[in-house]
Amino acid sequence: MPFATAATGAASVVGYDLVGSATLSPVLAAAEGTTPSSGLLAWAAIGAFLAALLLASQGYREPARYLGAGAWIAFGVFWVTMVPYYYGEAQSPLKTILGLLALPLCLYTGYLLWAGRDSLLILTKAVACMGLIYLPVETIPFVKTWLIETTAAQTHFGMELLGYSPGLIEGSNGYVSKFGFDPNETVTGRTTYIVLACTGIGSMAIFGGLIAAVTAPLKRKVTAFALAVGVIWFLNLVRNVFIGLASPWGWFQQDWLVSFMTTYMGAEASRVSFLVAHNYIAQSLSIVALVGITYLVVKILPEILRPLEEALFVLTGTEYDLFEALAPEGTPARTDGGPDGEQADHDRDR
């Protein structure tokens, strides 16, 4: 997240990342804040996940477990390397905490897989699929440019609906994605620009990975994915407009809040509105959005509850039957034997 100095008056708007899923998704693996070595570590982990799944599909369960366990360890180490950035430059308490928790959670996941909990392979598959969705967007320049600049144009249109028309200019990231507010006319003298994280691609990759990992009729999988992407796109647009206006116009520049943030959080006074809007309000609401979108997707594709059950087991050590609790009425009983069953998915057609 390339924050510019006060002289340039720019700060990045970070897009709709469902941070509540940070330990399960590679959405920031090669995005702003990574070093070349940490980005390489993340992609190596994704590659190892895929190799482990290939071994498992060929019947080599034991080597698959060992390789998968190593991949989870590498994935956890990657998130720890992000903690200094989250704490320092990004000044995001929530992401800092999640980054710190990621290592023990990933280590424990790797241990469980190594010890023989093969049902975790579906969670491994989901994370690998998330990486496969995100990687082309990050590595193909024209796709990345199109996504960033299209998101910027849509965000600008949203601002125009509210009576603001700053125009779009080239930002320090090289994309025509910076909102051209006049620093002499705004409250804080700052403006914002769109980066890849603002596009919502990370959140889309999370749900895309979960949906791709399970076995279900194609029609329901496509419907669930379209619903998730549509809701994420809309909420991401609202979020970008909110942060993009709150930062220059000082919506949260109240004296008591500025004093608290500068004294105890080490923030620059002119960045307080941005930090409150982005790091506290938007990131907190993103967790609510994550739960809500998951609920909607489950109504269409209850099969995604299987990897979520595995995630809950890692977090709590308790087996859950989410299918029985949350699946829509009229859904046939699961055929995988419950949380302890060997079969990863339950087929259901409509």
Side-chain angles (χ1 to χ4, degrees):
M1 289 170 279
F3 294 114
T5 62
T8 61
S12 70
V13 176
V14 179
Y16 197 80
D17 263 337
L18 298 179
V19 295
S21 295
T23 59
L24 301 180
S25 168
V27 296
L28 295 178
E32 291 76 18
T34 60
T35 63
S37 58
S38 63
L40 181 62
L41 181 62
W43 298 129
I46 297 300
F49 283 141
L50 293 172
L53 293 169
L54 179 61
L55 288 173
S57 69
Q58 298 300 312
Y60 300 105
R61 288 280 174 169
E62 188 170 352
R65 288 197 296 266
Y66 296 156
L67 182 57
W72 277 106
I73 293 171
F75 200 51
V77 172
F78 159 73
W79 285 110
V80 170
T81 67
M82 294 296 295
V83 169
Y85 169 74
Y86 291 150
Y87 180 78
E89 184 176 347
Q91 295 183 333
S92 173
L94 182 56
K95 286 189 176 182
T96 300
I97 293 171
L98 290 173
L100 290 171
L101 290 176
L103 180 59
L105 288 173
C106 288
L107 288 176
Y108 184 51
T109 304
Y111 165 75
L112 291 173
L113 184 58
W114 175 81
R117 189 177 175 88
D118 286 356
S119 56
L120 279 169
L121 287 172
I122 192 172
L123 184 60
T124 301
K125 183 179 180 181
V127 173
C129 290
M130 293 172 197
L132 287 179
I133 294 172
Y134 185 85
L135 180 59
V137 177
E138 171 62 33
T139 56
I140 301 176
F142 79 88
V143 176
K144 185 176 182 179
T145 299
W146 176 83
L147 195 57
I148 290 174
E149 295 188 351
T150 299
T151 301
Q154 292 173 346
T155 302
H156 188 272
F157 177 74
M159 291 180 177
E160 288 182 321
L161 294 178
L162 298 177
Y164 300 89
S165 185
L168 285 170
I169 58 178
E170 184 175 322
S172 60
N173 58 357
Y175 303 103
V176 182
S177 64
K178 178 180 176 180
F179 304 110
F181 286 107
D182 186 341
N184 296 318
E185 296 180 357
T186 57
V187 174
T188 64
R190 287 183 174 271
T191 187
T192 56
Y193 59 92
I194 298 294
V195 296
L196 184 62
C198 310
T199 64
I201 185 61
S203 302
M204 295 174 189
I206 291 174
F207 284 96
L210 288 171
I211 292 167
V214 301
T215 301
L218 180 61
K219 181 179 179 180
R220 286 197 288 113
K221 294 180 76 169
V222 171
T223 302
F225 182 68
L227 173 66
V229 168
V231 174
I232 290 169
W233 171 82
F234 176 75
L235 293 179
N236 181 68
L237 180 61
V238 172
R239 187 175 192 263
N240 285 342
V241 171
F242 168 63
I243 298 172
L245 293 177
S247 179
W249 294 106
W251 288 358
F252 303 101
Q253 293 297 126
Q254 291 79 12
D255 290 342
W256 69 270
L257 191 53
V258 172
S259 176
F260 177 82
M261 293 287 290
T262 55
T263 302
Y264 299 104
M265 306 299 292
E268 297 177 36
S270 61
R271 291 187 63 211
V272 168
S273 285
F274 171 81
L275 293 173
V276 171
H278 168 254
N279 288 5
Y280 296 94
I281 296 176
Q283 286 188 0
S284 298
L285 290 177
S286 70
I287 298 176
V288 178
L290 171 67
V291 175
I293 296 170
T294 302
Y295 177 80
L296 294 175
V297 172
V298 164
K299 290 299 182 181
I300 300 172
L301 193 70
E303 287 85 352
I304 70 163
L305 293 172
R306 190 73 181 104
L308 295 180
E309 286 175 348
E310 292 302 314
L312 281 176
F313 180 82
V314 172
L315 289 170
T316 67
T318 302
E319 301 282 5
Y320 292 92
D321 190 345
L322 297 180
F323 186 75
E324 180 179 352
L326 299 177
E329 291 185 11
T331 301
R334 67 191 297 166
T335 59
D336 63 352
D340 293 318
E342 292 295 325
Q343 185 176 330
D345 306 302
H346 28 267
D347 291 328
R348 177 174 69 91
D349 206 345
R350 284 183 174 175

